[in-house]
Amino acid sequence: MAHLYKKDAPFKVYISFKKYLDVLEHIRYNDRLEYRVNYAESLIDKIKNFQELRDGFQDTSLLEKHEDLIRILLSDLFPTGLTNNEIKAASVPLSGITFNYTERFKNILKDAGKDFEIELRNIEEDEFYVFCCCLILQSYFKRDIKTTLPFYYDIPDKQGILKHYKITVNSDFTEVYPTDDAKILSDDIINLLLENLDDHKLWRKYFPSESWVLEGFTIISLVDCTSEVALSDLKSSMISIDPEDLAPDENLIEIFKSYFDVPKLNFGLMLFNKKDQRLEKLPIYENLFTHHILDFWINAFDEQTRKSTFNNLSYNSKPIVVSNTDHMDNEIQSLPSFAVLKENEINSFMVIPVMKDNELLAIIEFTSPVRNSFNGLKLKKMEFFTDMILFSLNRFNFEKDFQIEAIIQREYTTIHNSVVWKFRNEAEKYFNASLAKKIYTLKQISFRNLTPLFGFSDIRSSSEKRFLLMMEDLNEQMDCLQNLFTGIGTDTEPFVLALEVFYHELNHDIKADTEQRFQRLLREDIHPYLQAKLEVESPEPVRKNIKEYFSRVFAQNDLFYTHRKDLDESITLVNRKLADVLDENQVDAQEIFPHYYERFKSDGVEHNLYIGANIAPDLHYSAKLMKELRYWQLKTICRMEREFSTFKGSLPVPLDIASLIFVYNEKVDIRFRMDEKRFDVDGAYNSYYEIIKKRLDKAYIKGSSERLTCPGKITVVYFGMENQKEYLQYINRLQKKGRLRNDVEFLKVEDLQGITGLLALRVSIA
């Protein structure tokens, strides 16, 4: 067995000519034509001393030993007159072992090279085993199960082009019979097996390995179906677009080589961007495709000529086929563009516009260094998969748009995963109505009776810091300009006086528009004067100082911006860190109960959670879940404060944050506002909640000038003693874990406009 099959099978296989010899015996005793009787008798006589040919053998070396005898024996099946036309051989059943080739088959194997080993294409071991079992069912159990699994050989020609041959098998001279270990199956078992073709273990149970005997030989005939297989592979490549992983098909060029029968072939494809009137490469194929001609089309022509050419394709989209560039007109060969062909060794090419409804979708190029590789017949072969190219390009564009929409949805809108289901329901209703040619008005998306959780970690005194750093930047800029003008000369006296006025105003009597007026003076007078000094032959020290001054100017507003830039970078770093901690911990919060979550970054990070049965109607909601989420919020704010304390020392500008949680017991409604593409509280009654949120940021402790929020502490604002008791329990749990200190303060919040009776707890971060 090991000599014959590389894969496991239910057979013991013996090469035998017994059934063919039985045919010869029948001719010998029953044929009325004397020459046929004599012919059969002579063949039988020749092998009478080689009993192994009748009894069967497994040693494949005997095929070579008896090569001449086997050729004579099978001469009736392999007519000499057809040997240069037919691709035919005898073979060991269901194996890659072949013998007694026709001359054409011999030449094909010779061109493939002496190291080439012929094998069946793409047959998995389990699939092969079940197929063998099916042959037993068909041959021995007489079940008509139409086992038509196609077999192929892939054989390269002498130019390296992979040719594909479909195999037809004549099994007239084989027989199957059981060994003592074989199981003779009932009809019920056979039906069970046929209902479970993929259950390989079940088939092996009823057809143990080598429990049957397959004896004889088969005759295989090969048909060159390279174009058909390559066309099928091309279609498969174009259909199999994975939107999650748009990866290139590395075999595409080889498939084209087989399909067009061109050993040296390059392929390029560019999509047409209708909006910008230009060709664009496919990024995933950038390193696989060549675009010599198309690259020239992009770069060689001016924009107007290029657009005119693309417009003309709407009226005349005939492909260009050049078999041999040497035969092109002298006038064309003298053009600069012809050098592109020579530089890239392009001696034969096709350029094919891909059109749909008279609109250009893409342009394809096929090029080859081998002359006469392409012609009208090769172009004709394109017709067989043009529709598939259109389908593939349309699908690619669809998947591209889909992915872009997904990115926009993920990165730029605030539709949280927990509420997407309601948007999808409305969109599905709209889509189904459009299919039925009905009018459907999209309904407003809203959720009622939700409990809100609100909190923020605010960067303390950022406005004051920004003002002080602005003063520092502008003072430095004025000092720098004063030094510059001192070194330049007397014609700068008006600028010096103006700077003195602004310096006094900035440091003693600053106005709302001081910065804007100073900016206008720089843009309209001072900077043009300094730039003019650079264009004339000014002394080198003056030029150096002017250049150094402009290197510190922020181009967008003509001002020094160094210190404020450090502040902006510090705020960005703080916001990013706090938001990352919040988002990371949100995963755990959604596990408690799905809820709508949003956060905003400004000078700090604030977040909103809306929880209720309407968000996840299929799940059970209870007050206990709300308490778990409130504890989660307090714990997460603690973590944000602790994370901030670990990296605050590395900030370009020292900053502090102050955190607050607002506890609100009343239910609110939220509605998606189409104009703003975000959720907001709905209705006049619910706006009371929003008013409180906005005013807590700057609130003070009642009867004092101290701010309610404080760096290094978390403030919890609430209305009643019930909330106080609840949050003291949460604080106690975190104190035991060492995250909060034992310094809880009980505070009253100053009366805000229209808002009285607010209470607060304040506790330090450990």
Side-chain angles (χ1 to χ4, degrees):
M1 183 71 181
H3 293 288
L4 302 180
Y5 279 9
K6 291 185 178 180
K7 297 180 175 69
D8 188 20
F11 304 123
K12 288 180 180 177
V13 179
Y14 294 91
I15 306 168
S16 168
F17 298 92
K18 176 180 179 301
K19 286 197 74 174
Y20 183 62
L21 291 170
D22 289 344
V23 171
L24 293 177
E25 291 283 2
H26 180 79
I27 294 172
R28 178 183 185 182
Y29 293 112
N30 296 285
D31 205 297
R32 296 180 180 180
L33 297 175
E34 185 177 352
Y35 81 91
R36 284 179 57 78
V37 171
N38 293 336
Y39 175 73
E41 199 170 74
S42 67
L43 288 177
I44 294 169
D45 187 57
K46 284 182 184 296
I47 69 155
K48 65 182 179 182
N49 294 325
F50 304 98
Q51 192 62 28
E52 65 268 28
L53 296 181
R54 180 182 289 276
D55 294 343
F57 57 90
Q58 291 187 307
D59 184 0
T60 54
S61 66
L62 294 178
L63 291 173
E64 188 174 350
K65 178 181 178 181
H66 299 310
E67 181 180 355
D68 293 336
L69 183 59
I70 291 172
R71 187 176 69 253
I72 294 170
L73 180 64
L74 302 183
S75 57
D76 238 12
L77 304 176
F78 292 80
T80 305
L82 300 178
T83 191
N84 292 312
N85 183 272
E86 291 186 338
I87 311 171
K88 193 173 176 181
S91 77
V92 176
L94 297 173
S95 79
I97 299 172
T98 51
F99 56 96
N100 202 65
Y101 307 101
T102 61
E103 286 301 315
R104 186 177 175 189
F105 203 158
K106 284 182 183 177
N107 291 332
I108 288 172
L109 294 177
K110 180 181 177 183
D111 290 343
K114 62 181 181 180
D115 295 329
F116 176 75
E117 186 175 345
I118 194 166
E119 286 185 357
L120 293 173
R121 175 192 189 190
N122 294 338
I123 301 295
E124 298 289 337
E125 183 164 337
D126 288 332
E127 184 183 27
F128 176 79
Y129 199 97
V130 172
F131 178 75
C132 291
C133 296
C134 288
L135 288 182
I136 298 172
L137 294 181
Q138 187 170 290
S139 178
Y140 185 84
F141 293 96
K142 307 303 179 186
R143 280 297 189 102
D144 186 15
I145 54 176
K146 309 294 184 189
T147 52
T148 56
L149 186 68
F151 289 117
Y152 292 92
Y153 285 147
D154 296 332
I155 307 174
D157 67 8
K158 60 184 176 183
Q159 294 179 310
I161 297 174
L162 195 63
K163 297 289 187 176
H164 308 288
Y165 298 92
K166 187 174 182 178
I167 308 166
T168 58
V169 182
N170 184 321
S171 301
D172 288 348
F173 306 108
T174 62
E175 60 181 330
V176 175
Y177 54 88
T179 67
D180 293 340
D181 297 327
K183 299 179 180 181
I184 307 303
L185 309 180
S186 66
D187 287 344
D188 290 341
I189 296 298
I190 293 174
N191 291 334
L192 175 66
L193 289 169
L194 293 175
E195 289 170 2
N196 295 275
L197 279 176
D198 294 331
D199 191 343
H200 308 125
K201 291 182 179 179
L202 184 66
W203 283 86
R204 289 177 184 272
K205 175 183 176 181
Y206 289 104
F207 287 98
S209 179
E210 299 190 26
S211 59
W212 291 76
V213 172
L214 174 61
E215 188 176 272
F217 70 96
T218 55
I219 298 172
I220 59 170
S221 298
L222 274 56
V223 178
D224 188 344
C225 58
T226 301
S227 291
E228 291 81 357
V229 172
L231 181 61
S232 176
D233 290 343
L234 280 172
K235 290 179 177 179
S236 297
S237 296
M238 292 174 182
I239 289 172
S240 58
I241 296 175
D242 182 359
E244 300 297 328
D245 181 20
L246 293 172
D249 185 346
E250 302 288 346
N251 295 319
L252 198 57
I253 303 299
E254 295 302 319
I255 295 171
F256 275 125
K257 288 179 181 179
S258 295
Y259 184 65
F260 287 112
D261 198 21
V262 175
K264 295 183 179 180
L265 175 146
N266 293 310
F267 172 71
L269 182 148
M270 285 194 184
L271 300 178
F272 180 62
N273 184 323
K274 184 179 178 182
K275 179 184 176 183
D276 298 331
Q277 291 285 295
R278 60 186 176 86
L279 294 172
E280 296 178 341
K281 296 178 182 179
L282 284 167
I284 61 171
Y285 282 108
E286 187 130 16
N287 297 323
L288 187 62
F289 289 176
T290 57
H291 303 94
H292 301 311
I293 297 175
L294 298 179
D295 273 337
F296 165 74
W297 204 330
I298 292 172
N299 299 317
F301 297 130
D302 61 78
E303 186 175 351
Q304 190 60 40
T305 304
R306 191 166 61 245
K307 288 183 178 179
S308 175
T309 303
F310 291 139
N311 287 333
N312 290 336
L313 285 173
S314 299
Y315 307 102
N316 181 11
S317 57
K318 186 177 179 181
I320 299 170
V321 183
V322 176
S323 296
N324 189 339
T325 56
D326 292 340
H327 297 162
M328 297 176 76
D329 294 341
N330 291 333
E331 183 180 348
I332 295 176
Q333 293 193 38
S334 64
L335 293 173
S337 57
F338 191 77
V340 174
L341 304 180
K342 291 304 178 186
E343 287 169 7
N344 294 286
E345 298 184 357
I346 297 173
N347 294 312
S348 185
F349 67 85
M350 298 192 298
V351 177
I352 304 157
V354 180
M355 311 291 295
K356 183 181 181 184
D357 299 330
N358 291 326
E359 288 192 356
L360 180 65
L361 291 184
I363 297 182
I364 296 172
E365 71 168 45
F366 292 97
T367 63
S368 176
V370 180
R371 291 171 176 80
N372 301 313
S373 291
F374 300 107
N375 51 43
L377 291 175
K378 299 290 172 69
L379 179 63
K380 193 75 176 172
K381 295 186 76 170
M382 283 288 295
E383 295 179 3
F384 294 104
F385 66 93
T386 299
D387 288 343
M388 194 54 61
I389 290 176
L390 285 173
F391 170 82
S392 181
L393 290 175
N394 283 332
R395 187 171 177 208
F396 175 82
N397 286 329
F398 171 80
E399 297 293 356
K400 176 184 173 183
D401 291 342
F402 178 82
Q403 294 285 10
I404 290 171
E405 286 297 324
I407 292 168
I408 293 171
Q409 178 83 344
R410 183 176 67 248
E411 302 294 339
Y412 298 103
T413 68
T414 57
I415 301 176
H416 192 261
N417 287 338
S418 61
V419 296
V420 163
W421 63 270
K422 201 159 189 175
F423 288 86
R424 186 175 295 279
N425 286 351
E426 273 302 295
E428 189 171 348
K429 291 175 185 176
Y430 182 89
F431 177 73
N432 290 335
S434 66
L435 289 179
K437 309 296 183 186
K438 296 178 181 178
I439 297 174
Y440 182 81
T441 303
L442 288 168
K443 294 181 175 59
Q444 287 188 344
I445 305 294
S446 61
F447 296 90
R448 301 177 64 81
N449 298 322
L450 304 179
T451 302
L453 271 67
F454 170 73
F456 64 72
S457 294
D458 184 47
I459 296 174
R460 178 55 63 87
S461 305
S462 57
S463 299
E464 291 86 343
K465 285 181 182 290
R466 189 171 275 107
F467 175 78
L468 293 174
L469 293 175
M470 177 204 71
M471 297 274 290
E472 199 170 337
D473 278 330
L474 295 185
N475 277 317
E476 282 188 13
Q477 188 167 11
M478 289 181 189
D479 290 342
C480 189
L481 285 169
Q482 288 279 19
N483 293 333
L484 260 180
F485 292 144
T486 300
I488 289 175
T490 56
D491 61 337
T492 61
E493 187 174 346
F495 297 142
V496 173
L497 291 174
L499 287 175
E500 288 177 355
V501 171
F502 273 108
Y503 186 85
H504 183 272
E505 185 176 318
L506 182 68
N507 292 283
H508 299 93
D509 189 24
I510 190 167
K511 298 179 176 60
D513 65 341
T514 299
E515 183 181 8
Q516 286 72 27
R517 287 188 292 108
F518 178 58
Q519 190 176 358
R520 189 160 57 246
L521 173 67
L522 293 171
R523 183 179 295 121
E524 296 177 1
D525 298 313
I526 294 178
H527 286 176
Y529 170 81
L530 292 175
Q531 286 163 346
K533 283 291 182 183
L534 288 174
E535 295 176 5
V536 298
E537 293 186 5
S538 302
E540 186 56 33
V542 172
R543 294 171 63 85
K544 181 180 178 182
N545 290 336
I546 294 174
K547 289 179 180 178
E548 187 176 337
Y549 165 79
F550 276 118
S551 70
R552 299 182 61 187
V553 170
F554 190 52
Q556 294 179 5
N557 59 14
D558 294 299
L559 300 174
F560 278 17
Y561 205 71
T562 306
H563 299 292
R564 282 174 289 178
K565 185 181 179 183
D566 287 343
L567 175 63
D568 290 340
E569 288 181 0
S570 298
I571 290 174
T572 299
L573 290 170
V574 171
N575 285 346
R576 185 182 301 155
K577 184 64 176 178
L578 296 178
D580 287 348
V581 174
L582 192 58
D583 290 345
E584 183 182 332
N585 285 271
Q586 244 293 300
V587 177
D588 297 331
Q590 292 293 338
E591 291 293 323
I592 297 170
F593 191 83
H595 55 274
Y596 179 68
Y597 158 73
E598 61 183 5
R599 60 160 173 77
F600 305 98
K601 292 189 286 189
S602 53
D603 284 358
V605 175
E606 70 174 54
H607 63 272
N608 291 299
L609 278 66
Y610 296 95
I611 304 100
N614 284 330
I615 296 286
D618 295 335
L619 301 177
H620 175 68
Y621 175 73
S622 67
K624 181 181 177 182
L625 295 170
M626 166 52 60
K627 291 183 178 181
E628 286 188 48
L629 284 166
R630 282 178 169 173
Y631 175 66
W632 167 88
Q633 184 187 31
L634 180 61
K635 182 174 62 174
T636 301
I637 293 280
C638 284
R639 188 169 297 170
M640 292 166 68
E641 286 273 358
R642 289 165 68 89
E643 288 284 345
F644 171 76
S645 66
T646 60
F647 81 97
K648 63 179 290 186
S650 61
L651 295 173
V653 175
L655 296 174
D656 287 305
I657 63 170
S659 299
L660 178 143
I661 291 173
F662 175 43
V663 185
Y664 193 71
N665 294 319
E666 301 297 327
K667 306 294 185 184
V668 299
D669 303 335
I670 60 173
R671 176 167 61 89
F672 188 77
R673 299 189 183 279
M674 292 297 293
D675 53 346
E676 300 177 11
K677 295 292 186 286
R678 62 180 295 267
F679 277 100
D680 204 352
V681 293
D682 188 27
Y685 174 76
N686 294 323
S687 64
Y688 181 66
Y689 167 70
E690 287 293 311
I691 293 170
I692 301 175
K693 281 169 48 180
K694 289 183 172 77
R695 293 178 180 169
L696 285 174
D697 181 23
K698 307 297 184 185
Y700 287 83
I701 298 172
K702 193 168 186 175
S704 78
S705 59
E706 184 183 350
R707 289 273 293 273
L708 182 63
T709 56
C710 179
K713 296 184 178 185
I714 297 176
T715 303
V716 181
V717 178
Y718 53 92
F719 273 105
M721 299 304 292
E722 184 179 339
N723 290 136
Q724 182 186 99
K725 181 180 178 181
E726 179 184 347
Y727 272 85
L728 283 173
Q729 292 176 348
Y730 304 153
I731 291 170
N732 184 48
R733 288 168 65 181
L734 292 171
Q735 285 171 337
K736 289 179 178 178
K737 293 182 178 181
R739 299 182 185 179
L740 294 175
R741 292 183 179 175
N742 297 316
D743 62 350
V744 179
E745 300 174 82
F746 298 89
L747 309 171
K748 290 184 179 180
V749 183
E750 68 168 356
D751 292 342
L752 306 173
Q753 187 177 356
I755 305 164
T756 59
L758 283 172
L759 303 173
L761 294 171
R762 197 164 68 179
V763 61
S764 299
I765 301 294

